[in-house]
Amino acid sequence: MGRIIVFNATKIGASHIKSGKPCQDNSLSWMSEDGRTQVAIVCDGHGGDTYVRSDVGSRIAAQTALDCIRQFVDTTSPAMFLGAEGAVTARPSEEEDPLFPTTKAPRKELTESEQQQLEQDQAFYEAVEKVRKQDALFVRLFASIYMQWLAGIEQDAQEHPFTEAEKACLKGARLVKAYGSTLMAFVRTPLYWFAFHIGDGKLLCCDRNLQWREPVPWDCNCFLNITTSLCNTDPVPMFRYAFSGKGDFPTAVIMGSDGLDDSWGTMELLQNFYSKVLSIFNELGEAAAEKELADYLPTLSEKGSRDDMSMAGIIDMDEIKDGVEVYNVRRKLQALKKEKEKKEAELTKLKAQYDQLDQEMKKLEANVEQEKTSFTDWLQAFMLQRDDREKDLRQKEEEIQEKLRKKTACLEEHENKRTAFLAWIEQASADKDTLLAEHDSLVKANTEKERLELEHWEQEKNLFRQQEESKRQETVRAKAEEMQLHDSENLQVLKKLDENEQKEAEKAEPVEPEVPAKPAQNPEQDGEV
């Protein structure tokens, strides 16, 4: 594990500046004092007229989530996650009891959205079955976040009563609608990580080679301008999450509100932007990079979605150095590919021009031959118009010569371009081999570093288990000593009783066989430890 940093940035959107609306996004990043736990959070308050206090709702959601996450990490044993992993989407609207599953008759025809929901529900059951213990923990965490968020917005409504204008916008809807917001978070601890999400926006993570992925499964109920939210009637089942306790920590995690991913349009462009962000952190350092990012987000909003912009993330500054090198090599390879495609397009265009000129020349030649034949016939019939016809024929022959000249020049240009292209191909192939060798070397080095990182994580895990075993043995030893002391006291009482019985027996009957003393009990023979 290298030097890890956290960052976040939130900027008001261009449309909000124009309309006078407040910034409805909110973001947080946090690191524990010992630097071993990191948290990144982004919340996006809804923009409709009904959500009159979504800016407050997103702020309360972010702070509430951070408080609950810190308590969750402090009170939950890492042993619950060690060696396990999972990625679970939103729960079905009518979740089946795993002990008493119901059988529903299959429908013959499903709409596209119904088919997507069916596939998502099946994916949920397959995923959650493997992580039932961890699922129960996360459900309690999500419920805690939701209940504390409700308490927070109710307190805000009491301290700041709704104005008549706000009530008019709310149109009799429930209080929570005014504070509607999405929520996404990523948490990294020394032995495991987890992430959760409700609503839209994008949460991505990457490995050492800057290969991006979306760890938390998507929810098919989030599309276009429709999204799940904390202001839904029962939002806890709508949370989706992922976790891993196998030491596979991402090199970087970046999350952004929907205003950010809507500005780029495609996942490929968004991932490329996140890679550039990591390159800026690697080149400028965290302070300068955060300033540049904060300065750039308003420009992106103006040119893109015009919505509020929020970003937050967790970055391993040592690991991204290797990833940026791989990313730069990939960009060079892409540039070579584009250059090759451009040159091939130029050659194709010249070849098409040559073919067109060739066809035109053949057509003219055929016309000339036809004109010659017509001319001969015409000459015989109309000798008086011979001079005019000969002049016309000379003009067309000159046109043929001009076309032939252009054709020859085009052919020469094509040959020259082709020769230059073959020379370029030879050099480009050599450059490509060098870059591929460099790429393979870097990937190999990253793989070795990842193996060493995993060994370090195994040492952390073994140390943790040794400490737990030592605590258990100490507890067992203390209990054994306590029981041994208790048995010694019982032995003394038995001896005293035995002596009293002997004295009484001697008074009753002078001659009486001696009663052997009862042996001391051995705690181990009694089966107690």
Side-chain angles (χ1 to χ4, degrees), residues 339-353:
E339 183 68 18
K340 177 185 175 184
E341 292 173 351
K342 179 181 178 181
K343 292 182 179 297
E344 287 177 340
E346 291 177 355
L347 287 173
T348 301
K349 183 178 180 180
L350 286 173
K351 182 65 169 57
Q353 291 176 355

PDB file of all heavy atoms in Angstrom, residues 339-353:
ATOM      1  N   GLU A 339      -3.116   7.394 -36.994  1.00  0.00           N
ATOM      2  CA  GLU A 339      -2.277   7.896 -38.078  1.00  0.00           C
ATOM      3  C   GLU A 339      -2.267   6.923 -39.255  1.00  0.00           C
ATOM      4  O   GLU A 339      -2.330   7.328 -40.421  1.00  0.00           O
ATOM      5  CB  GLU A 339      -0.853   8.123 -37.560  1.00  0.00           C
ATOM      6  CG  GLU A 339       0.096   8.725 -38.580  1.00  0.00           C
ATOM      7  CD  GLU A 339      -0.266  10.157 -38.932  1.00  0.00           C
ATOM      8  OE1 GLU A 339      -1.014  10.793 -38.167  1.00  0.00           O
ATOM      9  OE2 GLU A 339       0.214  10.639 -39.971  1.00  0.00           O
ATOM     10  N   LYS A 340      -2.199   5.638 -38.934  1.00  0.00           N
ATOM     11  CA  LYS A 340      -2.236   4.626 -39.980  1.00  0.00           C
ATOM     12  C   LYS A 340      -3.563   4.682 -40.737  1.00  0.00           C
ATOM     13  O   LYS A 340      -3.583   4.631 -41.982  1.00  0.00           O
ATOM     14  CB  LYS A 340      -2.048   3.239 -39.371  1.00  0.00           C
ATOM     15  CG  LYS A 340      -2.133   2.111 -40.378  1.00  0.00           C
ATOM     16  CD  LYS A 340      -2.067   0.761 -39.692  1.00  0.00           C
ATOM     17  CE  LYS A 340      -2.267  -0.365 -40.706  1.00  0.00           C
ATOM     18  NZ  LYS A 340      -2.304  -1.698 -40.048  1.00  0.00           N
ATOM     19  N   GLU A 341      -4.662   4.789 -39.987  1.00  0.00           N
ATOM     20  CA  GLU A 341      -5.974   4.854 -40.626  1.00  0.00           C
ATOM     21  C   GLU A 341      -6.097   6.106 -41.513  1.00  0.00           C
ATOM     22  O   GLU A 341      -6.699   6.053 -42.594  1.00  0.00           O
ATOM     23  CB  GLU A 341      -7.068   4.861 -39.560  1.00  0.00           C
ATOM     24  CG  GLU A 341      -7.174   3.546 -38.800  1.00  0.00           C
ATOM     25  CD  GLU A 341      -8.145   3.632 -37.625  1.00  0.00           C
ATOM     26  OE1 GLU A 341      -8.590   4.754 -37.301  1.00  0.00           O
ATOM     27  OE2 GLU A 341      -8.433   2.589 -37.038  1.00  0.00           O
ATOM     28  N   LYS A 342      -5.502   7.213 -41.064  1.00  0.00           N
ATOM     29  CA  LYS A 342      -5.543   8.442 -41.844  1.00  0.00           C
ATOM     30  C   LYS A 342      -4.788   8.287 -43.152  1.00  0.00           C
ATOM     31  O   LYS A 342      -5.281   8.676 -44.226  1.00  0.00           O
ATOM     32  CB  LYS A 342      -4.948   9.584 -41.028  1.00  0.00           C
ATOM     33  CG  LYS A 342      -4.928  10.921 -41.755  1.00  0.00           C
ATOM     34  CD  LYS A 342      -4.310  11.999 -40.886  1.00  0.00           C
ATOM     35  CE  LYS A 342      -4.241  13.326 -41.634  1.00  0.00           C
ATOM     36  NZ  LYS A 342      -3.607  14.388 -40.805  1.00  0.00           N
ATOM     37  N   LYS A 343      -3.581   7.695 -43.096  1.00  0.00           N
ATOM     38  CA  LYS A 343      -2.781   7.513 -44.308  1.00  0.00           C
ATOM     39  C   LYS A 343      -3.444   6.522 -45.253  1.00  0.00           C
ATOM     40  O   LYS A 343      -3.417   6.692 -46.481  1.00  0.00           O
ATOM     41  CB  LYS A 343      -1.380   7.055 -43.927  1.00  0.00           C
ATOM     42  CG  LYS A 343      -0.562   8.118 -43.207  1.00  0.00           C
ATOM     43  CD  LYS A 343       0.832   7.638 -42.895  1.00  0.00           C
ATOM     44  CE  LYS A 343       1.643   8.721 -42.190  1.00  0.00           C
ATOM     45  NZ  LYS A 343       1.848   9.921 -43.040  1.00  0.00           N
ATOM     46  N   GLU A 344      -4.029   5.463 -44.687  1.00  0.00           N
ATOM     47  CA  GLU A 344      -4.729   4.505 -45.537  1.00  0.00           C
ATOM     48  C   GLU A 344      -5.921   5.162 -46.223  1.00  0.00           C
ATOM     49  O   GLU A 344      -6.221   4.864 -47.391  1.00  0.00           O
ATOM     50  CB  GLU A 344      -5.193   3.321 -44.698  1.00  0.00           C
ATOM     51  CG  GLU A 344      -4.067   2.397 -44.274  1.00  0.00           C
ATOM     52  CD  GLU A 344      -4.552   1.267 -43.387  1.00  0.00           C
ATOM     53  OE1 GLU A 344      -5.658   1.411 -42.810  1.00  0.00           O
ATOM     54  OE2 GLU A 344      -3.841   0.256 -43.270  1.00  0.00           O
ATOM     55  N   ALA A 345      -6.616   6.076 -45.509  1.00  0.00           N
ATOM     56  CA  ALA A 345      -7.739   6.794 -46.115  1.00  0.00           C
ATOM     57  C   ALA A 345      -7.275   7.673 -47.259  1.00  0.00           C
ATOM     58  O   ALA A 345      -7.946   7.775 -48.307  1.00  0.00           O
ATOM     59  CB  ALA A 345      -8.450   7.630 -45.052  1.00  0.00           C
ATOM     60  N   GLU A 346      -6.091   8.328 -47.099  1.00  0.00           N
ATOM     61  CA  GLU A 346      -5.548   9.161 -48.171  1.00  0.00           C
ATOM     62  C   GLU A 346      -5.235   8.324 -49.400  1.00  0.00           C
ATOM     63  O   GLU A 346      -5.546   8.716 -50.533  1.00  0.00           O
ATOM     64  CB  GLU A 346      -4.295   9.885 -47.689  1.00  0.00           C
ATOM     65  CG  GLU A 346      -4.565  10.961 -46.644  1.00  0.00           C
ATOM     66  CD  GLU A 346      -3.283  11.607 -46.151  1.00  0.00           C
ATOM     67  OE1 GLU A 346      -2.195  11.142 -46.554  1.00  0.00           O
ATOM     68  OE2 GLU A 346      -3.363  12.578 -45.368  1.00  0.00           O
ATOM     69  N   LEU A 347      -4.614   7.153 -49.180  1.00  0.00           N
ATOM     70  CA  LEU A 347      -4.308   6.270 -50.303  1.00  0.00           C
ATOM     71  C   LEU A 347      -5.580   5.788 -50.989  1.00  0.00           C
ATOM     72  O   LEU A 347      -5.646   5.708 -52.223  1.00  0.00           O
ATOM     73  CB  LEU A 347      -3.485   5.077 -49.812  1.00  0.00           C
ATOM     74  CG  LEU A 347      -2.026   5.379 -49.442  1.00  0.00           C
ATOM     75  CD1 LEU A 347      -1.381   4.158 -48.819  1.00  0.00           C
ATOM     76  CD2 LEU A 347      -1.245   5.809 -50.684  1.00  0.00           C
ATOM     77  N   THR A 348      -6.568   5.456 -50.198  1.00  0.00           N
ATOM     78  CA  THR A 348      -7.842   4.991 -50.768  1.00  0.00           C
ATOM     79  C   THR A 348      -8.487   6.098 -51.600  1.00  0.00           C
ATOM     80  O   THR A 348      -9.034   5.836 -52.684  1.00  0.00           O
ATOM     81  CB  THR A 348      -8.788   4.563 -49.635  1.00  0.00           C
ATOM     82  OG1 THR A 348      -8.167   3.520 -48.878  1.00  0.00           O
ATOM     83  CG2 THR A 348     -10.105   4.056 -50.199  1.00  0.00           C
ATOM     84  N   LYS A 349      -8.400   7.339 -51.093  1.00  0.00           N
ATOM     85  CA  LYS A 349      -8.965   8.456 -51.827  1.00  0.00           C
ATOM     86  C   LYS A 349      -8.254   8.674 -53.155  1.00  0.00           C
ATOM     87  O   LYS A 349      -8.897   8.879 -54.206  1.00  0.00           O
ATOM     88  CB  LYS A 349      -8.876   9.720 -50.965  1.00  0.00           C
ATOM     89  CG  LYS A 349      -9.508  10.945 -51.618  1.00  0.00           C
ATOM     90  CD  LYS A 349      -9.417  12.144 -50.688  1.00  0.00           C
ATOM     91  CE  LYS A 349     -10.039  13.382 -51.339  1.00  0.00           C
ATOM     92  NZ  LYS A 349      -9.952  14.565 -50.438  1.00  0.00           N
ATOM     93  N   LEU A 350      -6.898   8.614 -53.148  1.00  0.00           N
ATOM     94  CA  LEU A 350      -6.127   8.761 -54.391  1.00  0.00           C
ATOM     95  C   LEU A 350      -6.431   7.641 -55.367  1.00  0.00           C
ATOM     96  O   LEU A 350      -6.539   7.862 -56.584  1.00  0.00           O
ATOM     97  CB  LEU A 350      -4.628   8.799 -54.073  1.00  0.00           C
ATOM     98  CG  LEU A 350      -4.106  10.096 -53.450  1.00  0.00           C
ATOM     99  CD1 LEU A 350      -2.659   9.933 -53.028  1.00  0.00           C
ATOM    100  CD2 LEU A 350      -4.242  11.250 -54.444  1.00  0.00           C
ATOM    101  N   LYS A 351      -6.572   6.438 -54.847  1.00  0.00           N
ATOM    102  CA  LYS A 351      -6.890   5.297 -55.706  1.00  0.00           C
ATOM    103  C   LYS A 351      -8.265   5.488 -56.350  1.00  0.00           C
ATOM    104  O   LYS A 351      -8.467   5.188 -57.543  1.00  0.00           O
ATOM    105  CB  LYS A 351      -6.892   4.013 -54.867  1.00  0.00           C
ATOM    106  CG  LYS A 351      -7.172   2.746 -55.657  1.00  0.00           C
ATOM    107  CD  LYS A 351      -6.057   2.475 -56.646  1.00  0.00           C
ATOM    108  CE  LYS A 351      -6.192   1.071 -57.260  1.00  0.00           C
ATOM    109  NZ  LYS A 351      -7.467   0.825 -57.927  1.00  0.00           N
ATOM    110  N   ALA A 352      -9.214   6.019 -55.579  1.00  0.00           N
ATOM    111  CA  ALA A 352     -10.550   6.262 -56.126  1.00  0.00           C
ATOM    112  C   ALA A 352     -10.499   7.326 -57.215  1.00  0.00           C
ATOM    113  O   ALA A 352     -11.167   7.204 -58.257  1.00  0.00           O
ATOM    114  CB  ALA A 352     -11.493   6.690 -55.005  1.00  0.00           C
ATOM    115  N   GLN A 353      -9.676   8.384 -57.000  1.00  0.00           N
ATOM    116  CA  GLN A 353      -9.524   9.417 -58.020  1.00  0.00           C
ATOM    117  C   GLN A 353      -8.907   8.851 -59.292  1.00  0.00           C
ATOM    118  O   GLN A 353      -9.327   9.182 -60.413  1.00  0.00           O
ATOM    119  CB  GLN A 353      -8.659  10.563 -57.473  1.00  0.00           C
ATOM    120  CG  GLN A 353      -9.326  11.374 -56.371  1.00  0.00           C
ATOM    121  CD  GLN A 353      -8.396  12.441 -55.804  1.00  0.00           C
ATOM    122  OE1 GLN A 353      -7.224  12.511 -56.164  1.00  0.00           O
ATOM    123  NE2 GLN A 353      -8.938  13.267 -54.901  1.00  0.00           N
TER     124      GLN A 353
END
